[in-house]
Amino acid sequence: MIFRFLTSGESHGKCLNAIIEGVPAGVNIDIDFINSELAKRQKGYGRGGRMNIEKDTAEILSGVRFGYSTGAPIAIVIKNKDWENWKVPMSVTAVEQSCENIKLINEKTIKNVRPGHADYAGALKYNHDDIRNILERSSARETAVRVAVGAVAKLILKEFNISSVSYVSQIGNVGANEVNNPFEYSDIIENSELRCLDKTAEDKMKDEIDRAKNDGDTLGGLVKVVYRGLPVGLGSHVQWDRKLDAQIAQAVMSIPAVKSVEIGLGKNCASTSGFNTHDEIFIDESGYYYRKTNNAGGIEGGMTNGEDVVITAAMKAIPTMLKPLNSVAVDKKESVKAHFERSDTCAVSACAVVADAMCAVVLANAMLEKFSHDSIFEMKNSYDFYVKRISER
Ligand SMILES: Cc1cc2nc3c(=O)[nH]c(=O)nc-3n(C[C@H](O)[C@H](O)[C@H](O)COP(=O)(O)O)c2cc1C
């Protein structure tokens, strides 16, 4: 991996952090763009109250000078605006055992694990009685800083006119109409409360979310991410861990609550015959290769084939339930109702933004692996040379 990153930070800790390694020198690191990506993740009908108190903004601490990357690691921090209220229960240092502090800590101590979360396995594995020690890091709050990292990856991709669109195609049982070119719907998607390009379906999805909320229930759904403008030949067929579809699947599957990732036809390929699966190749009058279909979703043999890369991911229903599920208290071996803490009813629209960011990371890395990459100048020269060479084939 050339574009690498690690994150740290807890849901109610002081801040979230990321260190990114591998950004070429000379990329315009547009902080307004990064913050606009963060704002997209925070939107969404069905999100919990937290979105009203936290307007995420990223701060860059290193690796950038006068707006341009230097080639050094880039450190990004997003401060948690609610930190003041959590300073004692989330203190990094030991706190004075005053009555007030003990009360504050006890109020935030969790004993009852939530099915569907990291709580149960995490508490046993890491030997914790207070489940908060697991919840704080397994929370999808961490995806905020991944979106900031993804925005940096997108800034690299933008240098090569590579663009993306991400949207919600299903919530619960309500599906949206499929379209041939989702890029034409970008404005509708960005103005939609659910990142949905089909207004009629969106209204039904909102009704579904209201119904779930009233019942103390939660919902999942499907997200789609489409990347356009990628050159032929990113990734490789020669080794299992270099296959681009496999890398995308891992990156998107790492998003909390994502349970399947598909490229192109995805699981429908199992029931589709060869004639109806494989995208035939034609040559136009100018000698350019083209296809009439894109069932492969832009990747064949672990490599981009020049078509749009089309990814679909399924997000399960949110596991923190207002009407709690049966569970256990692992410290006392007692049957209890699961813990409830402020939570989303549905976060599929946010998941679409995170999935877009994770795809950006994989694709930016694939571009860096393909082309000489110490500086963006060098990378563009290498890219131009390659594009010219393959256009002559
Ligand atoms: C953007 C986003 C927001 C989420 N919000 C919540 C939430 O408010 N409450 C919750 O219980 N789970 C939420 N989740 C899902 C959990 O974080 C996730 O299900 C949990 O960490 C267990 O991981 P797993 O589902 O991958 O096994 C969210 C996921 C994403 C991607």
Side-chain angles (χ1 to χ4, degrees):
M1 288 284 266
I2 292 162
F3 188 103
R4 298 180 294 152
F5 74 99
L6 284 177
T7 72
S8 73
E10 279 79 30
S11 181
H12 299 98
K14 195 171 188 176
C15 54
L16 298 161
N17 315 280
I19 294 185
I20 314 169
E21 157 79 15
V23 179
V27 179
N28 181 205
I29 305 297
D30 179 351
I31 191 77
D32 293 338
F33 174 74
I34 297 173
N35 286 330
S36 68
E37 293 293 292
L38 290 176
K40 287 184 194 173
R41 193 198 74 98
Q42 293 202 280
K43 272 181 32 179
Y45 197 82
R47 304 298 309 277
R50 183 161 194 175
M51 300 309 128
N52 304 326
I53 48 167
E54 304 260 18
K55 289 279 169 281
D56 286 334
T57 46
E59 191 186 342
I60 294 178
L61 303 182
S62 64
V64 179
R65 248 188 121 204
F66 310 127
Y68 288 86
S69 55
T70 61
I74 296 180
I76 301 182
V77 62
I78 299 173
K79 289 186 181 133
N80 281 330
K81 303 253 160 57
D82 211 13
W83 169 239
E84 278 303 310
N85 297 320
W86 289 82
K87 267 162 93 170
V88 173
M90 288 301 292
S91 174
V92 171
T93 54
V95 290
E96 189 199 333
Q97 293 297 293
S98 63
C99 291
E100 196 193 343
N101 283 353
I102 290 169
K103 184 170 169 275
L104 285 170
I105 293 166
N106 285 344
E107 276 170 6
K108 300 297 184 194
T109 301
I110 305 168
K111 301 290 181 176
N112 306 352
V113 300
R114 296 161 305 164
H117 261 285
D119 301 6
Y120 171 77
L124 297 183
K125 177 178 166 76
Y126 290 94
N127 199 27
H128 287 306
D129 282 342
D130 183 358
I131 312 299
R132 184 161 297 287
N133 287 322
I134 302 302
L135 171 154
E136 286 290 331
R137 181 61 188 160
S138 67
S139 158
R141 173 82 189 127
E142 184 260 356
T143 60
V145 77
R146 289 207 224 176
V147 169
V149 172
V152 173
K154 282 186 172 195
L155 289 169
I156 299 173
L157 296 171
K158 270 187 182 191
E159 299 275 354
F160 301 89
N161 290 323
I162 297 164
S163 55
S164 68
V165 62
S166 66
Y167 60 100
V168 170
S169 64
Q170 190 175 320
I171 285 185
N173 284 318
V174 183
N177 270 338
E178 273 307 318
V179 298
N180 283 334
N181 183 7
F183 285 87
E184 283 175 0
Y185 295 78
S186 293
D187 287 346
I188 296 176
I189 292 166
E190 297 309 335
N191 289 316
S192 154
E193 283 179 272
L194 282 173
R195 296 194 75 73
C196 182
L197 46 70
D198 174 349
K199 178 75 185 125
T200 312
E202 186 191 43
D203 289 342
K204 288 187 192 152
M205 289 170 178
K206 283 160 78 175
D207 290 344
E208 261 314 84
I209 293 170
D210 290 342
R211 186 199 53 72
K213 195 170 182 180
N214 285 336
D215 293 350
D217 206 351
T218 57
L219 287 172
L222 289 180
V223 304
K224 281 197 183 286
V225 180
V226 184
Y227 265 84
R228 178 166 290 177
L230 296 156
V232 176
L234 300 183
S236 178
H237 63 292
V238 303
Q239 198 60 266
W240 65 273
D241 59 347
R242 294 180 61 192
K243 289 181 179 247
L244 195 67
D245 42 359
Q247 292 178 354
I248 289 172
Q250 201 233 322
V252 177
M253 189 71 101
S254 77
I255 301 167
V258 167
K259 294 297 143 198
S260 81
V261 184
E262 300 179 41
I263 312 280
L265 265 189
K267 67 175 180 303
N268 291 335
C269 71
S271 54
T272 310
S273 73
F275 284 130
N276 293 313
T277 298
H278 306 298
D279 308 303
E280 292 181 294
I281 311 174
F282 305 92
I283 307 174
D284 71 11
E285 309 85 64
S286 332
Y288 287 116
Y289 303 127
Y290 72 98
R291 318 241 187 169
K292 294 177 184 169
T293 55
N294 183 21
N295 292 325
I299 301 181
E300 291 171 304
M303 289 171 283
T304 49
N305 63 9
E307 302 295 315
D308 289 351
V309 169
V310 183
I311 299 119
T312 308
M315 181 185 190
K316 74 181 187 186
I318 297 284
T320 303
M321 315 276 294
L322 189 56
K323 204 190 270 176
L325 300 170
N326 290 321
S327 185
V328 291
V330 283
D331 61 332
K332 292 193 190 131
K333 245 188 200 299
E334 264 175 19
S335 291
V336 293
K337 289 289 178 191
H339 171 75
F340 177 79
E341 171 155 325
R342 184 179 52 199
S343 185
D344 299 328
T345 304
C346 176
V348 183
S349 56
C351 184
V353 177
V354 182
D356 188 351
M358 290 309 292
C359 291
V361 165
V362 173
L363 296 171
N365 179 64
M367 287 287 287
L368 293 164
E369 283 182 348
K370 182 79 191 81
F371 304 111
S372 187
H373 52 255
D374 283 335
S375 70
I376 198 74
F377 171 77
E378 194 177 304
M379 195 171 169
K380 280 186 177 167
N381 278 339
S382 168
Y383 170 88
D384 289 344
F385 173 83
Y386 175 74
V387 169
K388 183 166 179 298
R389 178 175 74 70
I390 58 172
S391 71
E392 287 162 0
R393 295 287 307 273

